[in-house]
Every structure is written in C-alpha cells, then in structure tokens.
C-alpha cells in the first residue's frame, strides 16, 4: 500500500466482499489477530470499525495481538480476509492523526458510485431476483450466468472488466438472497433457472445477445440455448460443470460435491446435519483466502444450504448429452488442463459436439482462477464477443 487513500479503497472492497456471508452469521463481532499489534497501535480497530460502518456491516471488529481459538469456518473466513488489510498496512496512527476517517468515507462513497446497479426482476413463478447491471446501456450487451448460489461480488471483477466496453448483466440465484430466506417448495430445476435468465433479459429489454456461463452457469446457458435458441446470439462456457449420464468423466471433487448435494437436498433435517460439518475450520483448507467468504455463502445456514443443494444438484445431475447437437450458436468453450474441480474432459466433449464451437484450453489455472479475471481471459472474452457482434450487424 502506498498511502491511506489506497488502503481505504482496498478495505472498502474487502468488507464489501465479506458482507453477504457476515449478514447471515449470528455473531456480533469478528476478531482479527495481527502479529505486529504494537506497530499498528489503537488506530487499527478504529479504522476497521469505520470501514464496517460505511459498508453497512452489522458486526464490529476487534483487533488482537494473538489469535483466539479457531471458531466457525464462516467467521474465520471473514476474519482471515479482513486480516489481510493489516498485513501490509502503513502507519495507521499517523494516518488517523493526519486525516481522521475522511479517506474511508470517500472510498465508500466512490465504491457506491461504481457499484453495479440493482434491478429487481420478477420471475415467471412469482419470485423476485436481484439482477445487476454495469456499463453503458447503449453498448453491446453481455449476460453473465454465475455459478449457483454465489454472491454477485464473486463476479464483480468480470462486471468491471467487461463493463468498460459492454452493457453487462447478471443476477443472484433464485431464493438464496432474500432477506427472509428461501421459500419452502421453491422450484429448483435447471429449466426454472434457465427461465430466470429469460426473465432477466425480458426485464431489461435485451435482444438476442452474448450469454456467458461460468461453472454451473454453463449448464443453464446450454439449457436456455436449447429451449430458446432465438433469444441467445452467441454463448461462451467457462469451466463448465457438466453431466453426461453414465458417460460422464468427473473429478473426485465433482463426485464428492454431488453426493453432498444429494444428501442436503433430501430434507431440511438432513441438510442441517451436514451443514454442521461446514463449521469446522478444516472446511477452509482448499479454498483461496480471498474467495472463501464468497464461496461459503450458500453453506451459512441450514435453510440456505438445503435450498442450495436442491438448486445445485439439479445442475450437477442434468444430462446434457442430447442437447448439444441441437444448439446452433457460435460458442467459445474455455477450460484449463489443471482444473481439478470440473473435469476438463467435460469441456472437451461439449466443444466436440457443439456444431460451432471453439475450444480454448489454458495450460494452467484452477477452477476459481477464472474469477481473478486475468488480462488474458478478459481479452479472450472481449475478442470473442466483439467478433460475434461484428458478424451480426444491428445487434446491440
């Protein structure tokens, strides 16, 4: 960090990323341990609390010199993420003495100005979705279909990057982001989730445009392209989590998660029993620290977990074998050789069986690295979208 203004901007972004999970947790504060507590002085707690207030976090933040016994994985994920703000912080006491909390107030105001715009969308079966838009409405449109159950903050870098030249739209999974929790008996099939894509496009009056599916979102795009081919112009499928029935090649992770989804989807009581396992700190072992508060969101309560299992199981067990040959859209298929989450062979098969597909296999990159939006991946997406719009005059 080079100064207070930069630190404040980073702090506001981090607190914005942890807020969806924090809002679902019962605790009233988080505890952040820092090794050089004496150097940071009393200003650390004051500044973190100031950021929390500006972002709207309900909890306060306590800064300690030594770590406390590990608590729930959910709170620990938030605390570890916040602690990164202090690892390379400058002279906080000097900053506070010279500028007070004004840089934090400015950073929060700037973040609100730059945030994606919220649009409420009514689904065909009476639910309300939170959709988000970024970029100029007059520019070519891109609809981003996110992984099931993930807060919009996970896709924020994509919205910012593509929003420079496009009108970018996304939404959060049905039922999982309502303040009152998921509705009992809520429809959870892939067709229902594909209908949500159409509802978002209708609400924003989008013509056939580019639709981009990430992870399980790729399955929703495939279903929508098959059922409503005229509503999609071109598609891209990134690290898709595909099922081909008995002919599926899946990683150990895919099989393990699908088994967990089956158990959690059965009943709320079973979901509550298995959700307890996610409280163990060991649950964080293989999740990147930056992404942990976002990835853990749908596991935060028994009710969220149960409905997430219903929605995600529908995606993970949706056999797309008979759909691919009937999809005419120009398609970009992206995977990497080192993805141990969603097996690359699934993407290879999709690319072989789609009639107008181009496969790009990155030499490295794990499943979650697609959300880091490297300049290479952003350029790959932008170039493909631009080529499709140039080849179809009049599209926007």
């Amino acid at each position: 960090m080079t100064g207070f203004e930069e630190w404040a901007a980073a702090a506001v972004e981090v607190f914005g990323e942890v807020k969806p999970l924090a809002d679902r947790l019962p605790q009233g504060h988080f505890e952040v341990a820092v090794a050089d507590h004496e150097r940071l002085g009393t200003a650390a707690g004051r500044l973190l609390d100031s950021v929390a207030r500006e972002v709207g976090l309900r909890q306060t933040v306590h800064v300690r010199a030594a770590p406390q016994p590990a608590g729930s994985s959910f709170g620990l994920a938030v605390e570890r993420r916040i602690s990164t703000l202090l690892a390379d912080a400058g002279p906080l006491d000097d900053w506070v003495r010279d500028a007070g909390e004004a840089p934090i107030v400015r950073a929060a105001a700037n973040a609100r100005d730059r945030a994606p715009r919220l649009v409420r969308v009514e689904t065909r079966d009476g639910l309300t979705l939170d959709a988000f838009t970024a970029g100029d409405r007059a520019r070519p449109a891109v609809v981003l279909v996110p992984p099931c159950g993930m807060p919009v903050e996970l896709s924020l870098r994509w919205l910012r990057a593509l929003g420079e030249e496009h009108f970018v739209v996304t939404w959060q999974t049905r039922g999982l982001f309502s303040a009152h929790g998921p509705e009992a008996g809520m429809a959870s099939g892939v067709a229902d989730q594909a209908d949500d894509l159409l509802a978002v496009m209708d609400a924003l009056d989008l013509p056939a445009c580019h639709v981009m599916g990430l992870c399980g979102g790729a399955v929703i795009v495939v279903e929508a392209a098959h059922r409503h081919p005229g509503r999609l112009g071109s598609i891209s499928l990134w690290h898709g989590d595909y099922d081909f029935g008995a002919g599926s090649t899946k990683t150990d992770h895919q099989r393990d998660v699908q088994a967990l989804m089956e158990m959690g989807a059965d009943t709320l009581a079973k979901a509550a029993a298995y959700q307890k396992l996610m409280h163990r700190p060991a649950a964080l072992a293989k999740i990147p620290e930056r992404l942990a508060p976002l990835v853990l969101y749908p596991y935060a309560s028994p009710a969220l977990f149960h409905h997430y299992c219903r929605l995600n199981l529908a995606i993970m067990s949706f056999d797309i074998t008979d759909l691919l040959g009937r999809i005419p859209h120009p398609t970009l298929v992206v995977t990497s050789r080192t993805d141990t989450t969603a097996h690359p062979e699934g993407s290879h098969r999709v690319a072989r069986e789609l009639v107008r597909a181009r496969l790009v296999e990155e030499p490295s990159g794990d499943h979650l690295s697609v959300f880091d939006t490297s300049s290479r991946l952003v350029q790959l997406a932008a170039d493909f979208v631009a080529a499709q719009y140039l080849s179809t005059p009049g599209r926007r």
Side-chain angles (χ1 to χ4, degrees):
M1 299 286 176
T2 58
F4 196 179
E5 298 285 346
E6 293 83 357
W7 183 89
V12 166
E13 180 164 343
V14 166
F15 273 71
E17 290 173 354
V18 305
K19 188 177 185 299
L21 178 59
D23 284 346
R24 296 289 181 178
L25 301 181
Q27 63 206 78
H29 70 273
F30 297 112
E31 295 187 350
V32 177
V34 288
D36 53 352
H37 184 263
E38 293 301 320
R39 178 184 68 82
L40 295 174
T42 59
R46 174 182 169 183
L47 291 179
L48 293 179
D49 271 343
S50 176
V51 179
R53 287 193 305 273
E54 289 294 328
V55 172
L57 201 70
R58 173 173 49 82
Q59 294 89 346
T60 57
V61 181
H62 299 170
V63 179
R64 300 186 180 279
Q68 301 296 302
S72 163
S73 63
F74 304 111
L76 190 58
V78 173
E79 290 164 352
R80 287 178 176 175
R81 186 74 180 102
I82 294 174
S83 71
T84 62
L85 295 168
L86 300 180
D88 58 352
L92 300 186
D93 279 327
D94 292 346
W95 287 352
V96 170
R97 184 187 65 245
D98 295 340
E101 298 173 16
I104 292 172
V105 175
R106 287 193 293 271
N110 184 53
R112 288 190 290 270
D113 289 341
R114 296 176 61 233
R117 295 173 291 280
L118 171 64
V119 180
R120 304 286 187 188
V121 174
E122 297 300 316
T123 70
R124 298 177 181 185
D125 57 345
L127 298 179
T128 300
L129 303 176
D130 288 342
F132 300 87
T133 71
D136 186 342
R137 182 70 175 83
R139 293 185 179 275
V142 174
V143 180
L144 190 155
V145 186
C148 181
M150 297 296 108
V152 68
E153 286 78 8
L154 182 64
S155 304
L156 197 57
R157 294 187 179 186
W158 274 113
L159 268 68
R160 288 174 180 166
L162 293 179
E164 295 291 329
E165 299 294 336
H166 303 86
F167 179 62
V168 190
V169 178
T170 191
W171 76 95
Q172 294 181 139
T173 306
R174 58 172 33 226
L176 297 186
F177 295 87
S178 166
H180 304 294
E183 296 184 13
M186 174 189 66
S188 58
V190 172
D192 302 297
Q193 297 180 64
D195 281 345
D196 291 345
L197 164 60
L198 274 293
V200 170
M201 293 178 69
D202 287 343
L204 291 162
D205 189 28
L206 294 180
C209 60
H210 184 81
V211 182
M212 180 177 177
L214 305 177
C215 187
V219 177
I220 296 171
V221 174
V222 168
E223 169 70 349
H226 171 249
R227 291 177 60 220
H228 307 282
R231 294 300 309 274
L232 284 68
S234 58
I235 62 179
S236 57
L237 309 171
W238 301 71
H239 291 254
D241 186 355
Y242 305 111
D243 185 84
F244 300 93
S248 299
T249 301
K250 297 194 176 187
T251 64
D252 290 342
H253 178 87
Q254 282 172 293
R255 287 189 288 267
D256 291 345
V257 171
Q258 187 166 344
L260 179 62
M261 297 295 105
E262 289 172 353
M263 292 182 286
D266 190 16
T267 66
L268 179 58
K270 285 187 179 180
Y274 286 104
Q275 189 265 348
K276 289 180 181 178
L277 300 176
M278 293 302 297
H279 284 267
R280 300 177 301 178
L284 298 174
K286 295 183 179 181
I287 307 175
E289 194 171 82
R290 183 182 77 81
L291 300 177
L294 299 168
V295 172
L296 289 177
Y297 172 85
Y299 297 86
S301 74
L304 273 183
F305 179 58
H306 174 54
H307 288 280
Y308 170 64
C309 287
R310 295 177 65 236
L311 290 154
N312 202 34
L313 176 63
I315 292 171
M316 296 190 75
S317 59
F318 187 73
D319 187 343
I320 65 170
T321 304
D322 295 333
L323 276 59
L324 298 175
R326 306 174 189 176
I327 295 175
H329 306 78
T331 306
L332 174 67
V333 181
V334 182
T335 186
S336 76
R337 296 175 191 171
T338 57
D339 188 347
T340 58
T341 300
H343 203 293
E345 175 54 31
S347 293
H348 281 251
R349 180 168 176 176
V350 166
R352 287 196 302 269
E353 298 189 17
L354 287 172
V355 294
R356 299 176 67 188
R358 169 194 170 199
L359 174 69
V360 173
E361 184 181 62
E362 293 290 291
S364 62
D366 63 29
H367 190 74
L368 291 174
S369 65
V370 71
F371 297 100
D372 288 332
T373 56
S374 69
S375 58
R376 176 179 169 80
L377 292 183
V378 170
Q379 195 63 50
L380 177 64
D383 287 349
F384 184 78
V385 174
Q388 305 316 309
Y389 278 97
L390 284 173
S391 65
T392 312
R395 281 177 58 193
R396 62 178 175 85

